[in-house]
Every structure is written in C-alpha cells, then in structure tokens.
Amino acid sequence: MSEKTEKEQKKKDAKKGELGGKAEKVINLCLRRGILFPTGEIYGSFAGFFDYGPVGVEMERNLEAAWWNHFVHSREDVVGIDGAIITHPTVWKASGHCDAFNDPLVECRKCKSRFRADQLIEDELKISVDGITLKQLDELIKEHKLVCPKCRSELSSSKVFNLMFKTHIGAVEDDSSLAFLRPETAQLIFVDFKTAQFVSRKQLPFGIAQIGKSFRNEIAPRNFVFRSREFSQMELEFFIHPTKVNNCPFLNKHVLETKINVCTAEMQAKGGMGEVVEMSVKELVEKNIVKTKWHAYWIVESLNWFHSLGIHPENLRIREHLKEELSHYSSETWDVEYNYPWGWKELEGIANRGDFDLKQHAKFSGKDLSYFDAEKGERVTPIVIEPSWGLERTLFTLLLDAFEEKVENGKAKLVLRLHPTIAPVRVGVFPLMKKDGLAEKAREVCESLKKEFACEYDEAGSIGKRYARMDEIGTPYCVTIDYDSLEKNTLTLRERDSAKQVVLPVKALKETLQKLFSGSISFSEAGKPVT
Ligand code: ATP
C-alpha cells in the first residue's frame, strides 16, 4: 500500500466503530476464526463473558505456559499455587474487598439504565477522572449537563456499587451462607503464604505465583475482552524482608541502562496524561521516581516479558498512579499501559502492597502470618510487590500488536505476526494436491512433527487459501509436499512474515524447525531459496 493510501485507510479505520478500525478487525477475526466469542450466543447477548474456541484455547494455554515458564519455572525464587475460586468469605472482609472494591454507579431516572459514572464522564468529556470522589463526579455531571446516553434523561446521583459476585453455599440461602467468587487471585496467595513458604522452604525474598479465574461484576463491560466479568489473572506476589526493599541483586548495569517510556504522576498533574518520556531505570531509581529497587526490578522484568513475546516497545509505557487513584492496599502503583486504539490503558498493574494483606489476614484469622528471620532471630512481616496481569487482556493486546493487513492484488490479506510461543499452530502441513500419494506423504510428515510442535494438516482449497488461513491465525511456518517430495524426498518451507520459501530435505525438517524456533538460524539458512 502506498503511504498516501495507507494514511487514508487509517483515517477511514479510525472513523469506523468506537474502538477504532484495527480493534474492530481484530475482534472480527476473533469471532470469525473462533478465537474468542461471547458465551451462550445462541440465547442472545450476555455481556462480559466469553468462550475460547479451538484456536483461542491453544493461544490461551500457550500464553499461560509462557508466563509460568518465564516467571516460575525459569526462576529459583518463585513457586506456584492454585487456590479455590470460592474461599472463606472472611478473606474478603480482611482484604478490604467487601468495603472498598467498588465502582461509582449512576442510574437513568427514566429508563433505569445503569452506567459507571467515571466512564460516562470520561467518554463524554474526554478527561481522566481516576480516583475522584462521588461528590466530584456528581458535580461534573451537573456542571456539564450530562444525561443518560440511551434516552437523554436526567441521571441519579452516584452511589457505590460493589463488584464482587455473590453466591450461597449449601441448601440455605441467607446471610450465614453468603460467599463470593474471588475478584482477584492474589488473596489466596496471602492466605496460603505460611503453608507455601513452609513446604517449599523458600527464604525471603521469594515469590508465589498463581494463574486462575477472577470475577468482577463490572457495571459496564466493554472493549471486547479488555473489560469482562469473568477473566483469568496471572499474578505474582513477591515477598521481601521489610528492611531489604532496596537490596535487589538483579539491578545490574545492563538493567539500569534499560530505557523505558514513562508517564509520572508529576507529568499527569501538569495535564500530560498522554505524555511519555524516555528514562533509564537508573534515573527512575536514583531520582526516587520509583520508590523501591525491587519495584523497579519487577517493572523492568514485566516489560522484558512483553518484549520477549514480540510486543512493539514503542506501544508500551509505565504510568504512575496518582495518589487519589491508589487502591486501598497500595502505597505505590505503576501500570504497564498499552497504546490501544482507544488510548493508553492498563495492561498490567505493578503495586507495592506493603504488609497490608498479611497483617489484615493475621488480624482477622488470629493466626501468625509473619516470617522468622533466622539471621536476626526475629519475626517480621514481609513487604509485597505484586505484578498482576489479565490473561485475556494480554492476549487481546498481543493480537492487536501482531495484526497486520496487507492489500495484495486488490484483496485484503491478514497476517497475525504472533510470537511462535503463542501461535496456536506452529507448523501447517499441506499436500500440493490430494492425489498421487501426496496426501499420504504430507500426513506422514505431519505425524512425524506432532510430538514436538502443534501441527495442522490441511488439504482443502488452493495452496494460496491454505497459506492465508494459516497467516491469519499466526502460524509461523508452513510445509508443502509436492511431486519433488515423492521423487527427491524434499519439501518446501514457507515463512509467515516474509512469505519467502526454501526447499530442504524431508529428513532435515524437524531439526531445521527446532533451530528456527530457538533462533539459532535465520530463515535464509533453512534451505535453498525458491525464486
Ligand atoms: P482496571 O483499572 O482496568 O479496572 P484494575 O486496576 O482494577 O484494572 P487490577 O485489579 O490491577 O486491575 O487487575 C490486574 C489485571 O487484571 C489488570 O491489569 C488487567 O489486565 C486485568 N483485569 C482487571 N479487571 C479486568 C476485567 N474486568 N476484565 C479483564 N481483565 C481485567
């Protein structure tokens, strides 16, 4: 596409739909290819809940595995747990969720539709109102004469709405049987801290990780899976000795020199919500912009993980929470934000939860949740740094970042430049035609790869169509078996990103793929180029 046509296309895209053209296209792809789609569709809309289809579930599992591999298996200082979705209700009293896990709600006086007051104001006035009080929200609604977006009638004043889903345990449905679906996975980690530490024999500093479902009764689920009511979280609580929050052995010269896109609280106070400046980690730490070294380390480590999955670094920044915006448990929070088609928004949150949660659970349960410091012979309550990711939000972001549309011969072609680790199919295998033993040979090749790589055999339609089907779900490599394969035992390997092809012996395929996936060879070294 020429630069001019590309610009025009972008303008058109931006006008299309409230999410912006690219997001709409990615959502269409998700629906068409069964990656993610609204649950219970045959019964009509049921907002905020999604199902993964056959392609999506592979992406979901790959993403979970990539996260677990990076943050648990490849470290000596992190162990995992898998806690219950419904736990003792007092957990949520102690954590503060019963009292403080609220969003502001306004109701239309006429049609009774309900809206999240802060989002309604942000949508209408294009300003950020994070952390402001109910009274201030009401004043803004009044001052700007905001009305119900559906029927243009007057809105009620704002009131708090608790986001936890309620249920009842057992046969009696009264206050004594009331329980909650967990709104975050973190609390199970705090409640299990003592057990996990004892059985794993970990000494401070160390972390406990968990991946699992969380539930939030969002007033206004929106932007596809970005804000849903049921989603998975990938959370890590990292426990540090309270006097050693600045003793981080990983902040070496290389890490300190890392440059990061930053939006500080100070920049926001001056009205620069959308601004970004580049700073080194050294600057962030030395100027006390990020208050503790362990916090700075987890920020860098989070960004490194996103980069390792191929997210364009220029689309990421870290943003400091304003004081008014901080959750009740946090003394300092930095969000990793992505530049979505609807603006910079949170992709991951990294909070300093201090000793709030362990102390609250100790108080409410009457159990000692402190840690014995054998060196000093005293009991201490660890400080916690929590990086917390949403799985669906991360997957949606990876899809947005990897999505590319090309126009070839007047036709739009979609390519998902997904990292191979996340790709649902790693190798597509096709016979040129179904006849003359080509299909049998292709199946044989596919079978020989299956134990090592997720493969898909496809013999339907033209080769071009088969490549296109694989490109749009992000399959990094495709193999074609043709008549030369029967005669010379060779095959053609195609790379998704360059659409280039090379010929190589069938017997070299597995090893070549291993080398390509590990990055030890480039595609041009994989075989003889097809011109
Ligand atoms: P937001 O400000 O977007 O509501 P949050 O600050 O409430 O998010 P956290 O409690 O920090 O979010 O949760 C950690 C992560 O879980 C978020 O960074 C996000 O990726 C994910 N997450 C939170 N709420 C939702 C939701 N309703 N739907 C999908 N993912 C979510």
Side-chain angles (χ1 to χ4, degrees), residues 216 218 226-228 231 233 346-349 388 390 393:
R216 297 183 185 181
E218 297 280 354
F226 179 85
R227 184 170 306 288
S228 49
F231 54 99
Q233 285 187 309
E346 174 177 346
L347 166 58
E348 176 206 352
S388 171
R393 203 177 279 187

Side-chain angles (χ1 to χ4, degrees), residues 31 61 84 90 147 161 182 195 205 209 218 235 261 273 277 295 360 367 452 454 488 501:
L31 302 179
R61 281 167 189 245
T90 312
V147 287
F161 176 78
R182 65 184 184 199
T195 311
E218 297 280 354
E235 293 198 296
N261 292 329
M273 266 313 275
V277 290
H295 205 155
Q360 283 293 101
K367 301 281 181 333
E452 203 127 344
K488 301 182 197 159
Q501 301 185 6

